Amino acid sequence: MQPKDIVYVNGTFLPRAEARVSVEDRGFVFGDGVYEVLRVINGRLFATRFHNQRLEKSLAGVRIQLRDEDSPARFVDIGKQLLKENKLLAGEATLYIQVTRGAATRAHFFPPPATAPTVYISVARFTPSADLAENGAIAITHPDLRWGRCDLKTLNLLPNILAAQTAKERGAFEAMLIRDDVVTEGTRTNFFGVVNGSLRTHPCDTHILPGITRSVLRELAREVNIELDETPIKASEIPKLTELFLTGTTTDVMPVVKLDDKPVGKGKPGELTRKLQRVLAESLASGGD
Amino acid sequence: MQPKDIVYVNGTFLPRAEARVSVEDRGFVFGDGVYEVLRVINGRLFATRFHNQRLEKSLAGVRIQLRDEDSPARFVDIGKQLLKENKLLAGEATLYIQVTRGAATRAHFFPPPATAPTVYISVARFTPSADLAENGAIAITHPDLRWGRCDLKTLNLLPNILAAQTAKERGAFEAMLIRDDVVTEGTRTNFFGVVNGSLRTHPCDTHILPGITRSVLRELAREVNIELDETPIKASEIPKLTELFLTGTTTDVMPVVKLDDKPVGKGKPGELTRKLQRVLAESLASGGD
């Protein structure tokens, strides 16, 4: 029997195919909302506290106020119920949580205070790419055309979409975004690289999303005595990269072995990348909260 | 009797309260779409050809392909039918046309080619602000945090929303956005100013939306021998502004008499502003297509 595909919208659990929102929802007309994606392995959710904190920060950043009875923790509980209803307690899955500023007559400024935010929560089966993790992925460089608050996880994702699509059309898994001559991050991942033997990534500021896996890996690297230098990689340093990998909730540590049709380092996953893949995998195998 | 409030979604005319889209619509999860707003006076639509061209340009810019049977001209025809159904053939109204990349399982890159774009069209009663047109509006300056393709009229409007809301909370009608030390435009209008007797506005590039009223006014100014210098106004030139006004489909030519709590020029609508208000009003009174 086909498993049910049940999602949650504004207090109601219903089949995905029937889950609809008003055409006046500010998510639909303005991309006026924020979201999170959580990793689930055998029913265990990862880094829930970090995701909840980031959702709070995104909501505050765009000034969406939840109803008193709502909270990121409550959304995660709803997510757990969805995992159960959709029979996703075994194997890998993702939990998606989205909050918009609600439905109201279209106007740029905020809707009346009584307007309840729209909450959409769904879960999905997820299959990590063992092949890319093992053999490495292909990436391209692409101009970073995004706005000035990339630290907020908002629904305004058109620049990410256009870059991700360009990457796909060029046979690549991800686009490495370049702003003001430095590597910021990917369209849905953070980028780490090794230049002159030193592991580097962009610091957390308004030009990158503070990735949860990025942050977890930062701690894990420290534990295994790998130093991380949060000085952004310059575009001019790209030819000097000996290792390159990306991190994300659904990508873990993914080696990048080819960039803009040129091999990165020896064209295969590097030593530091392999080590960090291992420590993250161990953490995922033992972790969950 | 309350007039009906009928909108159009994907081939169906239905009451606004029943008009809904899938939670998987890319408009809802990514702001992945574009739109237009047209002015309607007594059933006559203005600058339809320009709006249609701009919609084509926005669609091409974000690479959304309409179904063969669809076109901006067809959407305008649907809009005309909505004006009739909603009894908006007398007085002032607006026509809103939105196209998203359609509904599909969430993924950053484009959905399968068979995915039909979502088309949402609605009309609304509109009352021009005679008071602001006569006495002038208040504006604030605000950092321009938008992305690198402001020339496309997309649904990624969060930076516009946040700036518009800040303006509203400071008692202002509009926020004048500043990027790299020059005035670009407003959150939903273009800005024109007079510095040292010369009328200036930002040139059309990727940092501003090519406003239809901006473009109409450019032609009208030429006809009445007012020279327009498309050299952006620098932030440092703001104290030298003797006149300031904004233009837009629903704002016409609106004088700005106070900026960041300081009077602009003599604190009342200037001579050039009044002249351009008149020529635009005449054009609206006689025009329509």
Side-chain angles (χ1 to χ4, degrees):
Chain A
M1 200 182 88
Q2 190 78 354
K4 292 183 289 185
D5 191 1
I6 302 293
V7 305
Y8 171 95
V9 184
N10 288 340
T12 306
F13 291 80
L14 73 177
R16 187 182 298 269
E18 296 167 23
R20 299 171 87 73
V21 292
S22 166
V23 289
E24 295 196 308
D25 194 281
R26 293 178 63 101
F28 184 64
V29 294
F30 291 133
D32 188 8
V34 297
Y35 74 105
E36 282 293 326
V37 181
L38 283 80
R39 180 76 168 273
V40 190
I41 305 181
N42 295 325
R44 288 176 296 128
L45 279 85
F46 284 86
T48 307
R49 191 166 54 88
F50 294 121
H51 285 285
N52 288 356
Q53 281 169 357
R54 190 170 63 183
L55 183 54
E56 293 277 15
K57 198 185 149 225
S58 296
L59 287 164
V62 303
R63 304 177 56 195
I64 291 178
Q65 199 165 358
L66 295 178
R67 297 179 312 159
D68 287 344
E69 58 267 44
D70 277 339
S71 67
R74 178 162 182 265
F75 300 154
V76 169
D77 284 341
I78 293 167
K80 287 176 181 166
Q81 201 171 328
L82 285 175
L83 289 167
K84 208 168 140 186
E85 296 233 15
N86 289 287
K87 305 194 192 313
L88 289 171
L89 293 175
E92 297 252 7
T94 53
L95 163 57
Y96 178 81
I97 298 171
Q98 173 176 327
V99 182
T100 78
R101 209 182 303 274
T105 300
R106 186 182 182 280
H108 279 67
F109 39 78
F110 295 173
T115 310
T118 297
V119 179
Y120 162 49
I121 304 174
S122 81
V123 292
R125 174 61 66 204
F126 166 65
T127 310
S129 176
D131 176 50
L132 293 180
E134 178 56 29
N135 300 311
I138 295 172
I140 61 167
T141 55
H142 192 281
D144 188 345
L145 296 179
R146 299 172 304 157
W147 72 319
R149 292 301 305 276
C150 298
D151 54 320
L152 305 174
K153 201 165 172 72
T154 81
L155 305 177
N156 272 211
L157 289 170
L158 250 170
N160 307 59
I161 286 166
L162 295 174
Q165 177 65 15
T166 300
K168 191 185 173 197
E169 289 169 1
R170 288 180 49 192
F173 177 81
E174 181 57 297
M176 185 164 88
L177 303 175
I178 315 274
R179 185 198 291 249
D180 298 336
D181 283 320
V182 306
V183 175
T184 52
E185 58 182 338
T187 67
R188 56 202 188 279
T189 60
N190 294 112
F191 268 89
F192 289 67
V194 177
V195 181
N196 295 332
S198 142
L199 183 64
R200 304 249 299 272
T201 197
H202 197 286
C204 278
D205 61 17
T206 54
H207 286 170
I208 72 159
L209 185 81
I212 306 294
T213 307
R214 177 192 182 284
S215 155
V216 166
L217 200 71
R218 197 167 170 270
E219 292 313 303
L220 292 173
R222 184 176 308 182
E223 286 172 24
V224 298
N225 296 312
I226 296 175
E227 244 180 86
L228 174 63
D229 178 3
E230 289 174 281
T231 303
I233 298 161
K234 288 182 200 155
S236 60
E237 292 178 309
I238 289 175
K240 293 195 243 172
L241 285 168
T242 51
E243 298 191 35
L244 185 62
F245 63 86
L246 41 86
T247 63
T249 294
T250 58
T251 44
D252 298 332
V253 169
M254 185 182 288
V256 175
V257 293
K258 200 187 267 189
L259 181 65
D260 288 336
D261 299 319
K262 295 185 199 80
V264 175
K266 295 181 180 150
K268 54 185 192 179
E271 202 179 316
L272 261 176
T273 308
R274 284 293 189 224
K275 187 160 185 180
L276 289 167
Q277 276 188 312
R278 278 196 301 274
V279 294
L280 182 68
E282 281 161 22
S283 163
L284 285 173
S286 68
D289 53 23
Chain B
M1 201 183 88
Q2 190 78 355
K4 292 183 288 185
D5 191 2
I6 303 293
V7 305
Y8 171 95
V9 184
N10 288 341
T12 306
F13 291 81
L14 74 177
R16 186 183 296 270
E18 295 166 25
R20 300 170 85 75
V21 291
S22 166
V23 291
E24 295 195 308
D25 194 282
R26 294 178 62 101
F28 184 63
V29 295
F30 291 132
D32 189 7
V34 298
Y35 74 106
E36 281 294 327
V37 181
L38 283 81
R39 179 77 168 273
V40 189
I41 305 180
N42 295 325
R44 286 176 296 127
L45 279 84
F46 284 86
T48 309
R49 189 167 54 90
F50 294 120
H51 285 284
N52 288 355
Q53 281 170 356
R54 189 169 65 183
L55 183 54
E56 294 277 15
K57 198 185 149 224
S58 296
L59 287 164
V62 304
R63 305 176 56 196
I64 291 177
Q65 199 166 357
L66 295 178
R67 297 178 312 160
D68 287 344
E69 59 268 44
D70 278 338
S71 67
R74 177 161 181 266
F75 300 154
V76 168
D77 284 341
I78 293 167
K80 287 177 183 166
Q81 199 170 331
L82 286 174
L83 289 167
K84 208 168 142 187
E85 296 233 14
N86 289 286
K87 305 196 192 314
L88 288 171
L89 292 175
E92 296 253 6
T94 53
L95 163 58
Y96 179 82
I97 298 171
Q98 173 177 327
V99 182
T100 78
R101 209 181 304 273
T105 300
R106 187 182 180 280
H108 278 68
F109 39 76
F110 295 174
T115 310
T118 296
V119 179
Y120 162 49
I121 304 174
S122 82
V123 292
R125 174 61 68 203
F126 166 66
T127 310
S129 177
D131 176 50
L132 293 180
E134 178 56 28
N135 301 310
I138 295 172
I140 61 167
T141 55
H142 192 282
D144 189 345
L145 296 177
R146 298 173 304 157
W147 72 319
R149 290 301 305 274
C150 298
D151 55 319
L152 305 174
K153 201 164 173 72
T154 81
L155 305 177
N156 272 212
L157 288 171
L158 251 170
N160 306 59
I161 285 167
L162 295 174
Q165 176 65 16
T166 300
K168 191 186 173 198
E169 289 169 1
R170 289 180 51 193
F173 177 81
E174 180 59 296
M176 186 165 88
L177 303 175
I178 315 272
R179 185 198 291 248
D180 298 336
D181 283 320
V182 306
V183 175
T184 52
E185 59 181 337
T187 67
R188 55 202 187 278
T189 60
N190 295 114
F191 268 89
F192 289 68
V194 178
V195 181
N196 295 332
S198 140
L199 182 65
R200 305 250 298 271
T201 197
H202 197 286
C204 277
D205 61 17
T206 54
H207 286 171
I208 72 160
L209 186 80
I212 306 296
T213 306
R214 177 192 181 283
S215 153
V216 166
L217 201 69
R218 196 167 170 272
E219 292 314 303
L220 292 173
R222 184 176 308 181
E223 286 173 23
V224 297
N225 296 312
I226 296 176
E227 244 180 85
L228 174 63
D229 178 4
E230 288 174 280
T231 304
I233 298 161
K234 288 182 200 154
S236 61
E237 291 178 310
I238 288 175
K240 292 197 244 171
L241 285 167
T242 51
E243 297 192 35
L244 184 63
F245 63 87
L246 39 86
T247 63
T249 294
T250 58
T251 45
D252 299 331
V253 169
M254 185 182 288
V256 175
V257 293
K258 201 187 266 188
L259 181 66
D260 287 337
D261 297 320
K262 294 185 200 82
V264 175
K266 296 184 178 148
K268 55 185 191 177
E271 202 179 316
L272 260 176
T273 308
R274 285 293 189 222
K275 187 160 184 180
L276 290 167
Q277 275 188 312
R278 278 196 302 272
V279 295
L280 182 67
E282 281 161 21
S283 163
L284 286 173
S286 68
D289 52 24

